[in-house]
Amino acid sequence: MDVLFLDANVLFSAAYRPESRLARFWSLPGVELVTSAYAIEEARRNLMRAEQVEWLDVLTGGLRIVHERGTWALPRDVILPDKDRPILAAAVISGATHLITGDQAHFGVWFGQQLCGILVLRPAAYLDSRP
């Protein structure tokens, strides 16, 4: 079973436009959706309308939510901004098989590759790989 860690930008986009293709993640068979309290809060901060925040709460209500621990150290060869380190840490701690992110600037170099044992993919790449 795939364990998909959803980055804040995926949560934001799904809540911002409920009719978007990202809604498909919540109906995929044979996957577990995971995120972190940190990612949820980042998505929430960027949503402007009350109905979007409410939809975010609905979406995240069905996810396994992990809490980052301060004990996980980033490998020396991985360079990430401070704001993205908790995302990777939570993905690792959660046992995710995939990190689903649209963050080209900070995770783009790893798209299609393993990062700390997790396959990093854009949302569309994962969805396109599913029947």
Side-chain angles (χ1 to χ4, degrees):
M1 171 171 50
D2 289 345
V3 179
L4 310 179
F5 187 93
L6 304 180
D7 192 359
N9 57 66
V10 175
L11 298 174
F12 168 85
S13 296
Y16 186 81
R17 285 192 28 229
E19 71 284 355
S20 78
R21 184 174 183 214
L22 294 176
R24 186 168 167 225
F25 278 105
W26 279 260
S27 62
L28 289 173
V31 302
E32 179 184 15
L33 300 180
V34 183
T35 196
S36 66
Y38 178 88
I40 293 169
E41 184 53 36
E42 183 179 335
R44 180 175 278 116
R45 274 194 320 267
N46 290 295
L47 291 168
M48 300 292 184
R49 299 192 323 253
E51 63 270 13
Q52 293 169 333
V53 174
E54 290 172 15
W55 187 238
L56 177 67
D57 290 340
V58 169
L59 292 172
T60 57
L63 304 183
R64 178 165 57 97
I65 300 171
V66 297
H67 297 277
E68 308 78 26
R69 297 183 194 125
T71 58
W72 188 82
L74 192 67
R76 292 178 204 255
D77 62 335
V78 176
I79 299 170
L80 284 174
D82 288 343
K83 75 172 197 71
D84 290 315
R85 290 174 184 210
I87 296 296
L88 181 57
V92 170
I93 290 165
S94 75
T97 57
H98 297 74
L99 170 57
I100 306 299
T101 182
D103 187 346
Q104 170 71 40
H106 303 124
F107 288 105
V109 67
W110 290 290
F111 284 160
Q113 299 180 52
Q114 295 280 328
L115 174 59
C116 299
I118 302 169
L119 181 58
V120 181
L121 291 175
R122 292 177 186 226
Y126 184 84
L127 291 173
D128 289 346
S129 75
R130 300 287 297 207

